[in-house]
């Protein structure tokens, strides 16, 4: 029996599921940090087992105990009926149900895409009605939850900039220069007073599209390991990865339909620029501990670095 099978059987047993019911085990691709495996049982049930890397594996500071945050996201999503995996058992590994569908790709028609973006908007608006006990990462990776969003988010920015310095990440401007520009926008963070559920990784690869009924529907929002309690506006960054959410009319119409607020006044634009900078700093810095190949490094420098510069330029323009 391989280590993977032994680990899967152990996870099932801990969840009260007879390990002998495991019929098939399949590694799942797409993740960049945790190991992910699909478990198929003899009765047809499907589960997903997520296993964190060993503590000795290098990573970013906020990536400690990511599975704690992921489980928190799934439990919260269940309270507002948003399709997502359901937590089956949580220990050193995370066992969860599998969602139907495949990652969103380019095979959709324009009509399907418009309908799905509106559906996604409604689901994200429901997620943003869930509130937490404080601001920040529930994993405790950066310390306890903060009483205010400025404290939490500036700590998140400080942590990734420290990671960039520690790993010698290739940034388009010096880390200290970036930090000075970011600080100019911090006053806008004070407008956020309620810690809401934020997935923060809702790019298309983490949105499953299910065609089982013949109609394309969202089968699940997955990989909630980057979640935090904070400003709902932060989710708009990955929802329009390397783009501008303000041009996504279908999503915004769906988001506003159940009461989601999507206003883009100056303070909101400042915060959105800060969140863009945060995500793009992560994407640039993680290439070092991930030891990515030359092609991925080139893509990050050609596509992500200019977006970080654009975010910094917007902060400078709005605070001039």
């Amino acid at each position: 029996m391989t280590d993977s099978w032994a680990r899967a059987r152990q996870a099932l047993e801990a969840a009260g599921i007879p390990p002998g019911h495991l019929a098939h085990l399949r590694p799942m691709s797409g993740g960049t940090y945790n190991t992910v495996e699909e478990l198929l049982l003899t009765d047809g049930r499907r589960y997903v087992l997520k296993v964190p890397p060993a503590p000795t594996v290098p990573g970013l500071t906020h990536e400690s105990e990511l599975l704690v945050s992921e489980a928190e996201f799934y439990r919260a999503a269940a309270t507002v009926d948003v399709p997502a995996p359901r937590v089956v058992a949580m220990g050193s590994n995370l066992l969860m149900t599998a969602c139907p569908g495949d990652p969103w790709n380019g095979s959709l028609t324009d009509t399907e895409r418009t309908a799905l973006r509106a559906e996604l908007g409604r689901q994200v608006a429901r997620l943003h009605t869930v509130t937490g006990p404080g601001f920040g990462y529930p994993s405790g990776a950066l310390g306890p939850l903060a009483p205010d969003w400025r404290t939490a988010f500036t700590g998140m920015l400080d942590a990734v900039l420290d990671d960039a310095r520690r790993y010698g990440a290739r940034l388009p401007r010096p880390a200290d220069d970036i930090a000075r520009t970011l600080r100019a926008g911090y006053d806008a963070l004070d407008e956020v007073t309620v810690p809401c559920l934020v997935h923060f990784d809702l790019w298309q690869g983490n949105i499953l599209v299910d065609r089982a009924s013949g109609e394309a529907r969202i089968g699940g929002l997955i990989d909630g390991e980057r979640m935090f309690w904070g400003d709902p506006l932060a989710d708009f960054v990955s929802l329009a990865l390397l783009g501008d959410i303000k041009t996504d009319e279908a999503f915004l119409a769906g988001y506003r339909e159940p009461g989601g607020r999507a206003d883009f006044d100056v303070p909101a634009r400042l915060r959105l620029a800060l969140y863009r900078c945060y995500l793009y700093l992560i994407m640039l810095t993680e290439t070092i501990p991930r030891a990515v190949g030359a092609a991925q490094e080139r893509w990050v420098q050609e596509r992500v670095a200019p977006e970080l510069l654009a975010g910094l330029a917007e902060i400078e323009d709005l605070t001039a």
Side-chain angles (χ1 to χ4, degrees):
M1 184 183 297
T2 66
D3 290 344
S4 292
W5 272 79
R7 181 173 60 209
R9 288 168 62 93
Q10 192 174 47
L12 290 172
E13 188 171 25
I17 302 169
H21 288 186
L22 179 62
H24 184 69
L25 179 67
R26 179 178 70 90
M28 300 180 74
S29 61
T32 59
Y33 191 71
N34 297 298
T35 299
V36 187
E37 297 162 336
E38 181 186 54
L39 282 55
L40 179 64
L41 273 55
T42 54
D43 60 6
R45 284 181 293 171
R46 293 168 56 234
Y47 294 101
V48 172
L49 181 64
K50 189 166 279 193
V51 182
T56 54
V57 173
L60 304 186
T61 304
H62 77 273
E63 290 178 323
S64 174
E65 301 293 338
L66 282 179
L67 296 188
V68 173
S69 295
E70 183 157 9
E72 184 90 344
F73 175 80
Y74 297 145
R75 294 188 185 109
T79 67
V80 287
D81 198 30
V82 168
R86 299 298 181 248
V87 176
V88 177
M90 176 72 189
S92 56
N93 307 324
L94 174 59
L95 182 67
M96 66 192 103
T97 59
C99 289
D102 299 298
W104 186 313
N105 57 38
S107 64
L108 298 167
T109 66
D110 289 344
T111 300
E112 287 175 330
R113 185 187 181 282
T114 297
L116 284 171
R117 292 304 291 184
E119 181 186 0
L120 179 63
R122 291 188 290 271
Q123 292 183 4
V124 173
R126 293 206 302 274
L127 288 178
H128 292 167
T129 65
V130 183
T131 58
F135 292 93
Y137 289 109
S139 64
L142 301 183
L145 295 176
D148 63 272
W149 180 227
R150 183 195 282 242
T151 299
F153 187 66
T154 58
M156 292 156 69
L157 282 170
D158 288 345
V160 73
L161 285 167
D162 285 345
D163 287 331
R165 296 182 185 98
R166 175 163 55 99
Y167 285 119
R170 185 180 165 194
L171 302 180
R173 284 166 56 177
D176 290 349
D177 182 31
I178 291 173
R180 279 192 296 272
T181 297
L182 294 173
R183 280 195 292 271
Y186 283 178
D187 285 350
L189 298 171
D190 293 335
E191 293 209 349
V192 181
T193 58
V194 179
C196 297
L197 179 66
V198 178
H199 184 289
F200 203 60
D201 202 12
L202 284 174
W203 69 292
Q204 290 184 355
N206 288 337
I207 303 168
L208 300 184
V209 177
D210 179 27
R211 293 182 177 272
S213 67
E215 178 185 1
R217 298 296 304 271
I218 293 176
L221 306 183
I222 62 172
D223 284 350
E225 61 195 16
R226 307 286 170 176
M227 74 79 64
F228 52 76
W229 299 110
D231 182 358
L233 199 65
D235 257 339
F236 289 1
V237 178
S238 59
L239 283 160
L241 189 63
L242 304 176
D244 184 356
I245 195 66
K246 295 192 292 295
T247 67
D248 194 340
E249 296 178 2
F251 171 83
L252 291 174
Y255 185 79
R256 289 172 174 136
E257 185 180 315
R261 291 188 58 191
D263 303 321
F264 299 104
D265 57 11
V266 169
R269 288 167 57 198
L270 261 175
R271 300 200 312 276
L272 196 53
L274 287 169
Y275 307 146
R276 285 163 53 205
C277 290
Y278 180 54
L279 179 58
Y280 299 145
L281 280 167
I282 289 173
M283 293 175 70
L284 287 161
T285 303
E286 68 184 6
T287 61
I288 309 300
R290 298 280 195 281
V292 302
Q296 177 66 13
E297 170 65 19
R298 184 166 56 254
W299 180 86
V300 168
Q301 289 300 323
E302 291 177 355
R303 294 296 309 280
V304 180
E307 292 297 330
L308 172 58
L309 288 174
L312 293 169
E314 185 161 10
I315 293 170
E316 290 168 340
D317 289 344
L318 293 172
T319 58

